[in-house]
Structures are given as C-alpha cells and as structure tokens.
Amino acid sequence: MSSPNKRPRTSPHDHHAGGAEALRLSGPNATKRYEDSSDTSGTASAVYRHRTNVENVVLSREEAAHKIAESLPKEESSVPQVDLFLPEALKDAIFVGHLVTDLDSVAGAIGAASLYGGTAATASEINSETEFALKQWGVSTPPRIEDILKNHPESKICLVDHQQTSQMNPAINPDNVVGVIDHHALQSKTIVTDRPITIDIRPWGSMSTIVAHTFLTHGRRPSVAVSGMLLCAILSDTLNLMGPTTTEWDRMMVAVLADLSGIDDIQYLASQQFKAKSRELAGLSAHGLVNGDQKEFSYDSDFKGDVGFAVVETTDDAVIIDRLDELLPEMVACKKERGLDVLFLAVVNIVELKGTLVICGPSELSLAKAAFGEEEGLILNEDATLMSLGKRVSRKKDYIPEVTRAIKAGWRKPLDRGASVVDLSQLGSLEVDPLDPHQRVFRKGSILQKAPISPGGTVKDPECVEEKKVDG
C-alpha cells in the first residue's frame, strides 16, 4: 500500500492546491528535498525535510479542492441563485474591521466587499504582515473609514472580524451598522441595534474562511487577488493551520483558495508572511507591543471589572521577552490609563507554538495562577513576572475561556494591595519621534519607567503592584 503522502503527478491541474512545489521536490519517505550537502567522506548526498503540516493538509484535499474550484464559473460574475440568501442590505455597504487592524480584518473586508458589492475600509493603520499580503497580491490598501465617512456620513456599515463597540472605530455611528461577519465569541460590549441586522458568526478559525465559504456556496469565483488575500488571512489567524482554533472548514478553504490563487508553494507563502509580521514586532516600542493587539473583557460576578488581554505573535519570542523591563512599566501605565483591573500580555511563538505570560502585578499573578495553574515550574523567574503557558497559544480558545472559568469560580482581587500613590499625571505622555519613518509611539516622562521590580512581580503602581508605598 502506497503512502498517502506520495501523490502521483497525474492530476490535470498545475497547482495541486498549493502543494505543487512540495510534489516537484519530493524525495524518499514522503519528504521534500531541501538542499544538497556532503557527508564526511565527501560524497554528495541529498538532504530532505518532512513536508509541513500545511503542505500535507492541502495535498490530502487536492482533488476535492480542485473539483470545487472547477465547478465555479470561469468569470468572477455572480451566478443567480434563488435558493440561497444573499442579504440585500449589505449591497453598497462599507466593510470595515476592528481597531488595531490585522490581516484577517483587512482581507475579510476586501473579500466581503467583492462578494456583496461594497467598499472595503480600514479602521486603523495596517501592520507589516497585512502590507506584505497586499503587495503580494497587488491589492491597494483600502482607505480609512474616517476619510470615507467625512464625505458619506450616512453610509451603511458592516462590521467584519469584530462585534464589540470597544473594538469599533469611533467614527462609526452604530445606528448605521447593517451587518456583522465575525468568528469571535459574543463577549461584553457586543453592539446593540434598534432593528434586525444581518449576522454571520461562525466558530471557525478565521473570518476570511466565512467569506470564502460564502463565495463558494453562492457559486461565485473570487478573483485571484481576493483568493490570495483570503488565503493569507486564514493562514495568519490559524497559525499556518496549526493553531487550536483551526477547523476542517479552514483547512478546506485554504486548499480551495490555494488552487484559485495559483499558489505552487503554500509553505513558502506562509513562511514569508510570518517573517513579515515578526520584522515589525522587533521594531515596535513597548507601547506598541502592549497595545498592538489588546482586547478588553468585562465581568460581572463576584469580581466586577475589566480585564485586558494583549497578545504578541512572533517567530522569536526571546526578542520580545528580553524587553521585560520596558514592557512591565508600560503595562502598568496602560492599565491605569484604561481603567483596567487586570492586564495580561501573552507572547506567542508561532513556530514552536508555545506561550509565555507577562505578569505586571499581584492581581495578575493571582488570576494567572487561578486560570492556568500553580504547578511548580510555571513561574519562570524570581520576580514572578513570567509564566509558562505551555502549548496554549490562542486568546480566543486557550486564554480567555480559562480566565473566565477562574473568575466564575469565585476569583477575587487580592486584598493586601497597599496604598495608591501613582496618578495619571505621573504616567508621562505619549509622543511620536518626528525622525522615525514608522511614526512609532513612545512614552516619555513616566515615573514608572525607572521603577524597580521586586519579588512577587511588583512594580510601584496603584493597581499593578503595591507591596511598598512610594513616598510622594
């Protein structure tokens, strides 16, 4: 019986759902030829690496994906369907993602605008990974939502990749929201409307998976550019189909979109976009790292308050963790400015699929232990400011559910907190370096920037750690 990973090249199509390059370089034992080398005797020998997960996924679904792609009309125009609902309210709407926008948010907006007949917009500046994908597929950066609404303030709005008002661009009038396309849980501050709107929320790994699936179920062929953007977004949100939120729908859509976009080497595409993401993270200020991908969650049980949870995804977590002395004061300042009761930052290594939690105070330490365990070895340093999260890498699936479980089980903030001595006036100001071409934001003049870290994860701050009172 032949190995299921050895695929004969007899298929009439060229791209093999994005696995053509893996097949072309196939070596023994279902591995991919990597490079030539020489052994100690000087005899030339081939070096192989095993196919990656994403390559195996697309190759195992190659035939099904190609049949789906071939069943679509060759043109991008719509095939009329009388038995499928395509909401008329979304026609001519503006499709826009969340603040601190990411690739799924932008690609999903572009895809939805193409699908429903509208305009894609961005809610904030794009990141380096999104910039890479736009350049890769020759797509212009969508305009900012503020600029569109200046001239068309009553435009219909469809929120993509979010449904919470705390993540919505403030230029948007909630009364003009006519739809939501999302894949996140309904947490606090979900938008409330005075009339029914179109809602499409599915528990999949990416919002772009929803858009791609809708294209297919309506017999629509997305353009090569749209297919490529949606493909990159799914790879991003599912950590190259290795993340815990990945579903079979995500895997199949990646295979189909790889075929539609003409990708030959899916692994190379994924590695290039993740490198693009990591390049930006290395150059971000502490403020950018703490605030770059932060979401807030409100609770109303024994503990009544707000929890902020930031995530940094990188191929080199040590580069971020080595900046702990910068990150802790910035977390303290951010927590105070936003009025949060607890603030976490998780640094996720997207190559090794492991997470590390940055802990800025006693409330954080107490809740982290309640949520993720108190086993020996989880706390990684003497100051108790770092905790290993093991293979937990997803805020949606691994982090917030555990925090919520701990809070519902009766967790409360610790009582021995000391006196509050830091106020907003002592947190300095956020400034932009005029000589910085990336216009990165830095904090200047904060009393916390030189605050010592003491055992137990303490920074001299009213909310984050107050074991010692600071003289005013």
Side-chain angles (χ1 to χ4, degrees):
M1 182 175 179
S2 62
S3 168
N5 289 327
K6 283 193 173 182
R7 308 277 304 203
R9 297 196 64 191
T10 58
S11 176
H13 50 285
D14 298 325
H15 302 293
H16 299 275
E21 185 67 6
L23 286 172
R24 186 180 75 82
L25 298 174
S26 289
N29 301 320
T31 57
K32 175 181 170 183
R33 186 180 180 116
Y34 186 61
E35 62 182 356
D36 288 331
S37 65
S38 298
D39 60 22
T40 55
S41 66
T43 304
S45 60
V47 178
Y48 298 91
R49 71 160 171 84
H50 287 282
R51 287 183 191 145
T52 63
N53 175 72
V54 69
E55 288 171 335
N56 284 326
V57 165
V58 298
L59 286 173
S60 68
R61 293 161 178 78
E62 171 193 349
E63 294 301 330
H66 187 65
K67 288 179 180 178
I68 292 172
E70 284 297 292
S71 71
L72 298 174
K74 297 303 179 184
E75 302 297 326
E76 298 170 19
S77 59
S78 173
V79 175
Q81 297 282 350
V82 296
D83 57 340
L84 291 174
F85 172 66
L86 198 66
E88 187 70 20
L90 298 188
K91 185 178 180 180
D92 299 324
I94 300 172
F95 296 85
V96 61
H98 51 76
L99 291 169
V100 194
T101 194
D102 58 12
L103 180 51
D104 191 33
S105 188
V106 174
I110 291 171
S114 174
L115 173 64
Y116 293 106
T119 302
T122 59
S124 58
E125 294 297 322
I126 63 172
N127 59 27
S128 56
E129 184 186 28
T130 305
E131 184 179 14
F132 163 82
L134 292 168
K135 183 177 181 180
Q136 171 76 18
W137 298 105
V139 179
S140 299
T141 303
R144 290 287 293 267
I145 184 66
E146 301 96 320
D147 296 335
I148 297 177
L149 294 179
K150 282 180 183 178
N151 297 322
H152 306 282
E154 297 306 315
S155 296
K156 299 185 295 184
I157 303 292
C158 180
L159 305 179
V160 301
D161 202 29
H162 73 297
Q163 22 71 21
Q164 293 179 304
T165 55
S166 59
Q167 299 173 28
M168 190 170 67
N169 187 293
I172 297 173
N173 181 353
D175 292 339
N176 293 334
V177 173
V178 296
V180 171
I181 307 172
D182 192 21
H183 68 124
H184 295 96
L186 297 173
Q187 299 280 354
S188 59
K189 301 179 182 177
T190 295
I191 187 171
V192 175
T193 64
D194 58 4
R195 64 188 185 284
I197 63 174
T198 297
I199 300 287
D200 190 350
I201 299 178
R202 312 184 200 181
W204 296 352
S206 167
M207 187 277 286
S208 291
T209 304
I210 301 173
V211 175
H213 184 267
T214 307
F215 264 108
L216 302 185
T217 56
H218 283 80
R220 294 276 304 278
R221 175 183 288 267
S223 68
V224 170
V226 169
S227 297
M229 289 297 298
L230 296 174
L231 171 63
C232 286
I234 300 171
L235 293 176
S236 177
D237 258 27
T238 63
L239 300 180
N240 210 3
L241 298 180
M242 291 286 285
T245 62
T246 308
T247 68
E248 177 58 27
W249 301 102
D250 303 300
R251 298 183 184 97
M252 180 55 77
M253 289 305 102
V254 162
V256 173
L257 292 169
D259 192 301
L260 291 172
S261 60
I263 284 293
D264 289 329
D265 193 341
I266 189 79
Q267 177 60 33
Y268 180 75
L269 174 66
S271 65
Q272 289 301 106
Q273 73 176 68
F274 281 128
K275 286 179 182 177
K277 176 188 288 189
S278 294
R279 281 199 302 271
E280 178 177 78
L281 292 175
L284 284 178
S285 66
H287 177 79
L289 290 170
V290 172
N291 292 273
D293 184 10
Q294 183 186 137
K295 294 183 179 179
E296 300 174 12
F297 304 87
S298 297
Y299 294 90
D300 186 8
S301 55
D302 290 338
F303 162 72
K304 302 180 188 296
D306 297 325
V307 174
F309 211 114
V311 174
V312 172
E313 294 179 344
T314 176
T315 58
D316 188 355
D317 53 341
V319 171
I320 307 299
I321 295 171
D322 285 347
R323 299 174 62 183
L324 190 62
D325 288 346
E326 299 176 59
L327 295 173
L328 288 170
E330 183 57 39
M331 290 175 68
V332 170
C334 175
K335 179 179 172 183
K336 181 70 174 178
E337 288 171 341
R338 295 198 177 192
L340 299 172
D341 295 274
V342 175
L343 176 60
F344 291 118
L345 170 64
V347 182
V348 175
N349 187 312
I350 59 178
V351 175
E352 300 178 11
L353 292 179
K354 66 176 184 177
T356 302
L357 193 66
V358 180
I359 300 170
C360 72
S363 290
E364 286 74 14
L365 182 59
S366 173
L367 181 52
K369 288 181 177 180
F372 305 114
E374 299 190 54
E375 294 87 350
E376 184 177 354
L378 290 182
I379 300 300
L380 300 177
N381 59 353
E382 182 180 353
D383 296 325
T385 54
L386 291 175
M387 171 185 273
S388 170
L389 295 173
K391 293 298 183 180
R392 300 182 182 98
V393 294
S394 170
R395 175 171 47 200
K396 183 173 73 171
K397 185 172 182 178
D398 296 326
Y399 301 155
I400 296 306
E402 290 303 307
V403 169
T404 301
R405 175 192 58 76
I407 289 175
K408 288 184 175 179
W411 178 84
R412 296 185 181 184
K413 294 170 68 173
L415 298 177
D416 52 339
R417 303 188 51 77
S420 177
V421 293
V422 177
D423 57 40
L424 290 176
S425 65
Q426 296 174 294
L427 296 180
S429 59
L430 294 174
E431 300 183 6
V432 176
D433 183 352
L435 301 179
D436 181 7
H438 301 288
Q439 295 292 286
R440 286 168 287 200
V441 178
F442 296 86
R443 186 176 298 277
K444 183 177 180 181
S446 171
I447 193 176
L448 300 172
Q449 288 174 324
K450 295 183 180 180
I453 308 297
S454 55
T458 63
V459 177
K460 292 170 184 170
D461 163 74
E463 289 302 300
C464 267
V465 199
E466 304 168 5
E467 289 189 352
K468 299 179 181 179
K469 180 175 180 179
V470 181
D471 293 332

